[in-house]
Amino acid sequence: MEVIERVILNKTDSKDMWKKCLSLIKESVPALTYNTWFLPIKPLFFSENELKIEVPNSFFIEWIEEHYNTIINNVVKQILGDDGKLLYVVGDEKEANREAFNLIEKRSEKIFQNSVVIPEIVENEEDEFESYLIPRYKFDNFIKGEGNQLARAAAIAIGENAGETSFNPFFIYGGVGLGKTHLIQAIGNKIKEKSKSKKVIYVSSEQFTVEFIDAIQSGNAQEFSNFYKNMDALIIDDIQFLIGKEKTQDYFFHIFNTLHQAGKQIILSSDKPPKELKGLNERLISRFQMGLTADIQAPDFETRMAILKNKAISYGILIPNDILEYMAYNITSNVRELEGSLIKLLASSSLNSQEIDMALARKAVNEIATGRQVNISIDYITQIVCKYFSVDENKVREKNRKKEVVLARQVAMFLSKKLTKSSLKTIGLHFGGRDHSTVIHAYNSIEQLLTDDNSTKDIVDTLRNKIELGVS
Ligand code: ADP
Ligand code: MG
């Protein structure tokens, strides 16, 4: 009972703490900014000097960290003390609950350490593993259009009857930002919605590879295989990144066969159709063609309008039709950019306390159009940085603390944050599974060095040029 009471108390604590933070933030930012970026945040948990808060999506975290870092740091210091920490969680109740329960378990251990009373631990009904399904990816908010008709219909069918259709594997391909991840995540969410006990996992092929390498290094390759072979549905995103990773492909091949033979659902995405995946093992390519392959094409004007309208509604903001039309007309090839321009528009209107008008829309569209650049991968950045510092690439992924290795690692993390759209979590995964706070720390350390020390600035500028120009 005591445990439960503490948790309830704790909830009140976190509310109080966040309220105090909010009142300070309110003094430091314009009202519209406050309403847009800070009011939607919910306090989740407070323990010692850490306050955990929930934000509606990961864009919030990146935006807040980029624009309000100084304000936040001051507020945290004042309210939570010098060692105070604010931890962000992206809106997902299940996750939040699970973490709360983990904390209960940890706390109960502490509380009852010296006593004979056995703590009453709340049963954790959730999966034992992280499914990486993001609740916002649903069929409901996936707009149907000419370019995605087949892919969407097939995805819905699979969501309803996973493993029981002939669409196994389901292979979906198409260009960047057209909704592949959204659709395959929506399948996973649907499967879970229909049957909670089904084991579903979503993983990018990059994360799959990183995990595999970790498993090999720690002698757990069999465990790794068994884990995936035990799924009811396995969703792997951007399978093209398995190209050149022979050993990972080998293990994946066996996992694929086991699942397929057992009638378990396999869902894959890629930027190209299977037979164009040059460099991928032939036997995998032929397996990929056994089920259904569907492509996603860029959305037509009507679909783009519908997507924008839907998004604006979901943000609770009314935007005049001519402005939406202007955006849908000018951003044609990529839904992510379409959404990006809408977010930019909302953000700049909120930041400058300006009405949403055509001039602002034009600016947002232009920024998206000029910000377009070739995709730079974290692996590529690591390669260039390591070469420059003459450090073995493997060392930056290991727990090596040699000075030159640490510097190379931090610079590579810093540039990965600057030059790719990867989240802190993904970046951490690429450096031996470090967590996102390590990446933030690296980022801040290098940023500090850049202001304190000209030679570091020169090195980082040189590296940045090399990477952006694609020269080693
Ligand atoms: P991909 O994986 O193909 O690069 P994503 O699935 O990440 O693309 O989609 C990019 C963004 O566009 C996501 O936020 C997604 O929700 C959104 N999106 C893509 N297609 C649609 C659609 N038809 N309806 C609504 N949102 C979409
Ligand atoms: Mg994707």
Side-chain angles (χ1 to χ4, degrees):
M1 272 324 283
E2 189 182 347
V3 182
I4 307 287
E5 267 165 34
R6 279 187 162 246
V7 171
I8 293 166
L9 258 181
N10 196 293
K11 282 226 159 112
T12 342
D13 284 356
S14 69
K15 264 196 192 141
D16 280 353
M17 285 296 173
W18 183 237
K19 229 181 179 171
K20 285 185 195 154
C21 293
L22 274 182
S23 68
L24 283 184
I25 294 170
K26 201 170 181 178
E27 290 168 9
S28 337
V29 301
L32 205 55
T33 304
Y34 176 76
N35 292 338
T36 312
W37 301 109
F38 294 101
L39 261 192
I41 295 175
K42 284 188 228 143
L44 284 182
F45 223 80
F46 176 66
S47 134
E48 279 149 39
N49 48 8
E50 290 183 356
L51 176 60
K52 190 172 278 189
I53 54 174
E54 182 189 293
V55 296
N57 56 50
S58 55
F59 177 72
F60 263 73
I61 305 181
E62 311 241 336
W63 185 268
I64 290 174
E65 277 177 352
E66 213 168 313
H67 298 269
Y68 307 110
N69 217 1
T70 327
I71 294 174
I72 293 281
N73 281 344
N74 285 337
V75 169
V76 166
K77 257 203 192 133
Q78 284 189 50
I79 307 291
L80 304 177
D82 281 345
D83 301 325
K85 260 195 210 151
L86 206 55
L87 302 175
Y88 300 92
V89 175
V90 174
D92 178 346
E93 265 176 295
K94 277 192 219 150
E95 169 96 352
N97 285 340
R98 180 157 52 233
E99 295 198 11
F101 288 148
N102 284 344
L103 243 161
I104 297 173
E105 289 189 24
K106 264 198 217 134
R107 299 196 136 216
S108 51
E109 266 169 38
K110 263 196 217 150
I111 299 164
F112 293 97
Q113 230 167 22
N114 300 318
S115 109
V116 286
V117 186
I118 294 169
E120 188 186 337
I121 293 172
V122 182
E123 192 69 37
N124 188 353
E125 283 181 339
E126 296 296 333
D127 286 330
E128 308 269 279
F129 59 91
E130 170 67 68
S131 73
Y132 295 104
L133 290 174
I134 299 169
R136 92 167 174 92
Y137 290 124
K138 294 212 177 75
F139 291 127
D140 296 348
N141 57 9
F142 188 83
I143 306 290
K144 179 177 161 183
E146 232 173 86
N148 63 39
Q149 229 157 16
L150 172 66
R152 177 178 166 276
I156 292 175
I158 292 164
E160 294 292 334
N161 300 297
E164 289 161 26
T165 65
S166 54
F167 310 154
N168 202 11
F170 178 45
F171 189 101
I172 179 168
Y173 72 91
V176 178
L178 296 183
K180 301 183 297 292
T181 299
H182 188 139
L183 265 188
I184 60 179
Q185 279 263 345
I187 301 176
N189 281 320
K190 189 63 172 187
I191 297 173
K192 283 302 268 186
E193 189 188 308
K194 289 189 65 98
S195 167
K196 241 180 141 184
S197 60
K198 285 248 166 92
K199 293 195 207 66
V200 180
I201 194 160
Y202 165 95
V203 61
S204 71
S205 68
E206 286 174 299
Q207 189 185 336
F208 185 82
T209 306
V210 170
E211 276 180 22
F212 172 68
I213 293 168
D214 261 7
I216 290 275
Q217 279 170 357
S218 53
N220 293 326
Q222 195 55 43
E223 215 169 282
F224 168 87
S225 256
N226 290 343
F227 172 75
Y228 283 101
K229 284 177 179 171
N230 192 27
M231 290 297 142
D232 293 302
L234 170 61
I235 308 171
I236 304 194
D237 208 353
D238 291 317
I239 199 85
Q240 72 271 14
F241 293 123
L242 282 193
I243 288 176
K245 318 231 156 97
E246 302 298 331
K247 217 158 174 204
T248 314
Q249 286 182 36
D250 255 11
Y251 270 73
F252 174 57
F253 178 74
H254 293 293
I255 293 167
F256 184 104
N257 285 340
T258 305
L259 290 174
H260 196 262
Q261 277 157 20
K264 302 298 170 65
Q265 185 70 47
I266 299 157
I267 299 151
L268 307 166
S269 89
S270 158
D271 61 345
K272 306 179 196 61
K275 53 181 183 308
E276 285 176 27
L277 289 170
K278 301 269 172 314
L280 199 73
N281 199 318
E282 279 299 327
R283 57 183 189 169
L284 273 178
I285 294 179
S286 82
R287 292 294 188 291
F288 291 172
Q289 293 170 314
M290 284 169 23
L292 177 76
T293 300
D295 69 330
I296 294 199
Q297 301 283 344
D300 55 18
F301 179 77
E302 282 72 27
T303 316
R304 297 201 296 278
M305 270 306 276
I307 290 172
L308 281 176
K309 275 190 184 154
N310 198 47
K311 269 273 140 190
I313 291 171
S314 78
Y315 291 139
I317 293 170
L318 209 66
I319 300 181
N321 237 5
D322 57 336
I323 290 181
L324 292 181
E325 269 171 21
Y326 173 81
M327 297 169 90
Y329 187 77
N330 281 288
I331 297 178
T332 55
S333 58
N334 181 324
V335 182
R336 188 174 296 133
E337 288 186 356
L338 205 58
E339 284 186 350
S341 64
L342 192 62
I343 290 173
K344 269 216 155 79
L345 181 64
L346 301 182
S348 59
S349 123
S350 122
L351 266 184
N352 311 317
S353 312
Q354 245 176 300
E355 286 271 324
I356 292 177
D357 60 9
M358 200 52 117
L360 216 53
R362 214 168 280 136
K363 210 167 141 240
V365 167
N366 279 340
E367 275 174 27
I368 292 280
T370 50
R372 209 174 274 149
Q373 42 167 279
V374 274
N375 267 337
I376 295 170
S377 75
I378 299 172
D379 284 348
Y380 181 67
I381 293 171
T382 310
Q383 183 193 328
I384 302 285
V385 171
C386 286
K387 192 166 165 194
Y388 184 88
F389 287 110
S390 306
V391 164
D392 183 345
E393 267 179 65
N394 290 325
K395 293 239 162 69
V396 300
R397 299 193 180 101
E398 292 161 5
K399 291 212 173 68
N400 195 308
R401 285 187 201 283
K402 271 204 184 128
K403 213 172 152 199
E404 67 271 19
V405 176
V406 172
L407 182 63
R409 182 185 301 129
Q410 293 193 333
V411 169
M413 285 178 167
F414 176 83
L415 288 170
S416 297
K417 183 68 198 127
K418 279 271 183 227
L419 304 178
T420 75
K421 288 184 183 140
S422 304
S423 65
L424 297 167
K425 189 168 181 176
T426 307
I427 295 172
L429 272 175
H430 275 79
F431 294 90
R434 289 175 160 82
D435 75 18
H436 84 292
S437 59
T438 312
V439 184
I440 294 179
H441 175 71
Y443 186 93
N444 290 340
S445 307
I446 297 300
E447 188 129 79
Q448 191 62 49
L449 273 179
L450 290 182
T451 48
D452 294 353
D453 169 27
N454 273 334
S455 65
T456 312
K457 188 170 180 314
D458 289 344
I459 294 172
V460 171
D461 285 345
T462 310
L463 282 167
R464 193 177 174 143
N465 276 336
K466 277 177 189 280
I467 292 162
E468 285 183 331
L469 295 173
V471 291
S472 52

